[in-house]
Amino acid sequence: MPKFDDKEGSHEPESLTATAHLPGLDIEIVHRRFPDEDAEQISITLKAVPSFDAFGRYLETMNPFALWVQAMQLAWFPWLQAARAASRPYIAQLPKPGSGR
């Protein structure tokens, strides 16, 4: 946890900035402390490329039912694969007819 030093007579806010860059999204978090006012401020800025409007238009053109089906397929795929593997019959090493075992 960051520590802030109290500076006597300082009227400028102390600030700490954290940034993250994700594909298509930049995030900036700024924490400011105002020692003379005994106050703090936190700002969170999100910048999307393409813009949020363009992303909204893209979602409007998509079929919501198809999007839901794809999301459910991704969510259930591991469980369906496990059920398929568990339902396969166990093939034991059986002696072949006429082998004398």
Side-chain angles (χ1 to χ4, degrees):
M1 180 159 186
K3 294 183 179 181
F4 294 98
D5 297 326
D6 287 333
K7 296 179 182 177
E8 295 295 327
S10 174
H11 296 291
E12 294 183 19
E14 301 172 20
S15 66
L16 180 64
T17 303
T19 59
H21 303 285
L22 304 172
L25 183 67
D26 292 337
I27 303 169
E28 181 181 46
I29 302 172
V30 179
H31 177 253
R32 290 185 180 95
R33 183 172 180 208
F34 300 89
D36 55 338
E37 298 176 22
D38 195 30
E40 295 183 41
Q41 177 185 27
I42 296 177
S43 302
I44 301 172
T45 306
L46 303 174
K47 179 183 174 185
V49 177
S51 68
F52 290 113
D53 285 336
F55 184 68
R57 286 191 302 271
Y58 171 72
L59 287 180
E60 288 174 358
T61 62
M62 290 186 60
N63 181 352
F65 182 71
L67 182 65
W68 181 82
V69 168
Q70 288 177 349
M72 290 301 105
Q73 285 176 340
L74 287 174
W76 283 96
F77 184 74
W79 296 103
L80 295 174
Q81 291 295 348
R84 184 178 297 146
S87 66
R88 290 185 182 153
Y90 177 72
I91 301 174
Q93 295 290 336
L94 299 174
K96 293 181 182 180
S99 66
R101 287 207 235 169

